[in-house]
Amino acid sequence: MSKTEVFRALHLGRAQDDPLVLPGPWDAASARVFAEAGFPALATPSAGVAASLGYEDGATPADEMFAAVARICRAVDVPVSADIESGYGLAPKELVERLLQAGAVGCNLEDSAGGVLRDPHEQAEFLAEFREEAAGRLFLNARVDVFVRGGKDPEKAVERAAAYVAAGADCVYPIQAPADALPLLRAGVQGPININTRPDGEGPSPAELGELGATRITFGPGLQRMATAALRDIANSLAS
């Protein structure tokens, strides 16, 4: 079984209180920490990787992002999915080629650019072309940016998510969807749903989100920011 097949299988047949939890490594060292802790797969956060490379979120050049993903993939034996933002303006064929070259088993693709939601029909066509080029070799997680870019309307999020599933997405990711919107999303979307939460315990727990309908849980750049805060405290204590 290929790593992509292993990764896809991790999303299937899960108990409601046992969603797939995917920590987000930002470099090779953090990836090794998460893999050694026993997580069966990882999912890079673009904002966390950007911070590790000295860029603001959304400002990482494509070449540097793919190089960072490749270093993370080389560092661990578990499957790694990559957040590649909205695709850096690259055609689906090139995105597929670069992800495979980096060693990734899948990716997140956002449906907004420059802070504006893309036309859902055009985005669905883009995802369908990506899926065709990937030919089963990559797991496609289609991000739905309604709750961060489009007025927070859950019905609108369901419509976009359903269109992306119909286009061939393996999973949909309504980023920053509130917990109370999850039952509606679950009722209207076929297949796995990715929900993000905070890793510091301030938000709903993975088990709670699973009970509401989430299939997999990610943390965005939360883990990288917690690690940076811890390092800042260490640095300040050494400097004092």
Side-chain angles (χ1 to χ4, degrees), residues 63-149:
D63 287 350
E64 293 199 45
M65 182 61 75
F66 284 110
V69 170
R71 289 191 292 272
I72 289 169
C73 291
R74 283 197 302 269
V76 294
D77 291 329
V78 299
V80 177
S81 181
D83 183 342
I84 54 171
E85 304 181 59
S86 57
Y88 309 107
L90 302 175
K93 180 177 176 61
E94 185 172 358
L95 286 175
V96 167
E97 290 173 350
R98 299 194 72 170
L99 284 163
L100 292 173
Q101 288 169 0
V105 300
C107 69
N108 291 356
L109 275 171
E110 302 171 8
D111 69 344
S112 66
V116 179
L117 283 174
R118 290 179 164 176
D119 178 271
H121 303 293
E122 293 179 359
Q123 180 69 1
E125 290 176 358
F126 182 82
L127 296 176
E129 187 177 346
F130 179 97
R131 179 63 183 263
E132 183 177 359
E133 293 288 349
R137 296 172 294 171
L138 294 169
F139 185 98
L140 175 56
N141 189 32
R143 209 176 89 171
V144 179
D145 288 0
V146 166
F147 295 101
V148 292
R149 309 291 188 201

Side-chain angles (χ1 to χ4, degrees), residues 133-205:
E133 293 288 349
R137 296 172 294 171
L138 294 169
F139 185 98
L140 175 56
N141 189 32
R143 209 176 89 171
V144 179
D145 288 0
V146 166
F147 295 101
V148 292
R149 309 291 188 201
K152 306 182 186 301
D153 181 351
E155 294 283 359
K156 188 175 180 181
V158 168
E159 290 174 5
R160 295 175 82 92
Y164 303 158
V165 170
D170 296 288
C171 183
V172 292
Y173 177 16
I175 188 171
Q176 293 189 23
D180 60 11
L182 256 175
L184 179 63
L185 288 161
R186 181 69 281 166
V189 176
Q190 297 296 315
I193 298 176
N194 183 164
I195 295 295
N196 62 307
T197 192
R198 294 177 56 159
D200 58 6
E202 292 296 318
S205 71

